[in-house]
Amino acid sequence: MFKGSITALITPMNEDGSLDLPSMGRFIDWQVQQGASALVPVGTTGESPTLTHEEHAKVVEFTIKSVAGRVPVIAGAGSNSTAEAVAMAQQAQQAGAAGVLVVTPYYNKPTQEGVYRHFMTVADAINIPLILYNIPGRSVIDISVETMARLAQHPNIIGVKDSTANLLRPLLVRRAVKKPFNQISGEDGTAVSFLAAGGDGCISVTANVAPALCAQVQQSWNDGHVMDAMELQDRLLPLHDALFCESNPVPVKFAASVLGLMGETCRLPLAPLSDASREKVKAALSAVGLLD
């Protein structure tokens, strides 16, 4: 089971768009020191759609090497091509990943049977845990509760990153799945509510710039300090909102640049953050207490 505050890592880039691995190494060390319970490289937040296959593999390998066993690394391995997802998952396993995060096939619009066969094919090809990534807002297709229950019968499919923001989902999935199943929120704003619905943690965008506070939310809940967790969540809410004022990861990369963690460069088709959104992000960082 993966639990707690899990950072969906941004991928540092130089101004020319090339990978900035020195910044990434420092960033990974800081994340671990600040209390991240696991790291997820090359997901949506890591700009996986615009990385080459070689860059994708390099970032996964670099993250695992930099972490050096201090926390689990759950590698993004999603594609709308099943064969490509298999290759990415196998590469992650070979590199030493603790698990893989595999998104619902996007754009193709498969049926639920196609979704089932896609994930089963990837799970059959590896011997490490696979976490389903359900994000219908980006992939269009939703993994139904019934399909998730079928998939959970595979011994390698151990959980789901739920980005539906539907707080009935963890309750329905828990009732439908007949084994312990790792349910992780993919929406920062629902982190505490998701825990209350039986979830295990959050794969977080906000944790890129507020890892200690996000970790404290999860720890407070686990320690039974419910009001403390809720107060921290209320404090973080302006930042959760601001980091999605434009397409992720543009705002969070800008926030990271303001805090001196890395440059703000994203690859096209993601455009630089607008002036109005820059002010909104800076105001949120100040409100949370991360920026003087």
Side-chain angles (χ1 to χ4, degrees):
M1 287 287 185
F2 300 107
K3 296 186 176 183
S5 179
I6 301 167
T7 306
L9 290 174
I10 45 183
T11 302
M13 295 176 182
N14 298 304
E15 289 186 5
D16 63 0
S18 60
L19 298 179
D20 181 3
L21 294 182
S23 290
M24 187 161 197
R26 292 189 294 271
F27 186 63
I28 288 167
D29 282 341
W30 181 69
Q31 284 287 323
V32 174
Q33 293 161 8
Q34 291 286 301
S37 60
L39 300 177
V40 179
V42 291
T44 306
T45 308
E47 295 179 76
S48 58
T50 57
L51 299 182
T52 66
H53 291 172
E54 293 75 18
E55 288 172 329
H56 186 109
K58 182 181 288 188
V59 171
V60 170
E61 291 166 2
F62 183 85
T63 303
I64 292 168
K65 183 178 179 180
S66 299
V67 166
R70 290 174 290 174
V71 296
V73 175
I74 307 163
S79 173
N80 62 341
S81 161
T82 303
E84 188 172 74
V86 165
M88 288 178 173
Q90 289 176 331
Q91 180 275 327
Q93 175 175 297
Q94 185 175 5
V100 290
L101 180 67
V102 182
V103 73
T104 314
Y106 42 87
Y107 191 76
N108 302 11
K109 297 183 73 173
T111 62
Q112 288 297 305
E113 182 63 24
V115 168
Y116 173 77
R117 294 187 183 199
H118 172 83
F119 285 117
M120 291 292 285
T121 299
V122 180
D124 282 342
I126 56 175
N127 296 312
I128 58 175
L130 185 156
I131 297 176
L132 309 169
Y133 182 10
N134 193 25
I135 182 166
R138 282 184 181 261
S139 67
V140 178
I141 300 301
D142 185 11
I143 308 173
S144 71
V145 173
E146 294 75 20
T147 299
M148 207 167 291
R150 289 179 70 197
L151 289 167
Q153 295 175 37
H154 195 293
N156 291 343
I157 297 177
I158 60 100
V160 61
K161 176 186 176 183
D162 186 316
S163 294
T164 65
N166 178 356
L167 292 171
L168 282 175
R169 271 302 177 90
L171 301 172
L172 295 172
V173 168
R174 195 166 74 246
R175 185 172 66 181
V177 174
K178 306 305 180 185
K179 72 175 188 183
F181 198 63
N182 203 181
Q183 296 200 70
I184 306 169
S185 173
E187 298 280 348
D188 277 295
T190 69
V192 173
S193 303
F194 201 86
L195 291 169
D200 301 302
C202 183
I203 295 179
S204 169
V205 172
T206 301
N208 278 285
V209 293
L213 289 172
C214 290
Q216 287 170 32
V217 169
Q218 298 290 326
Q219 191 60 54
S220 294
W221 181 271
N222 290 335
D223 290 343
H225 301 149
V226 174
M227 293 306 298
D228 290 345
M230 292 176 66
E231 287 172 6
L232 285 165
Q233 181 77 342
D234 287 345
R235 177 179 167 186
L236 283 164
L237 188 58
L239 189 55
H240 295 332
D241 288 343
L243 294 184
F244 286 88
C245 62
E246 293 185 21
S247 296
N248 179 47
V250 178
V252 72
K253 266 196 162 177
F254 171 72
S257 75
V258 171
L259 298 178
L261 298 170
M262 64 184 68
E264 65 175 285
T265 301
C266 293
R267 287 183 179 175
L268 288 171
L270 296 177
L273 201 63
S274 68
D275 289 343
S277 293
R278 286 170 186 264
E279 293 306 313
K280 184 172 184 177
V281 170
K282 287 192 286 188
L285 289 170
S286 296
V288 173
L290 299 175
L291 187 66
D292 292 334

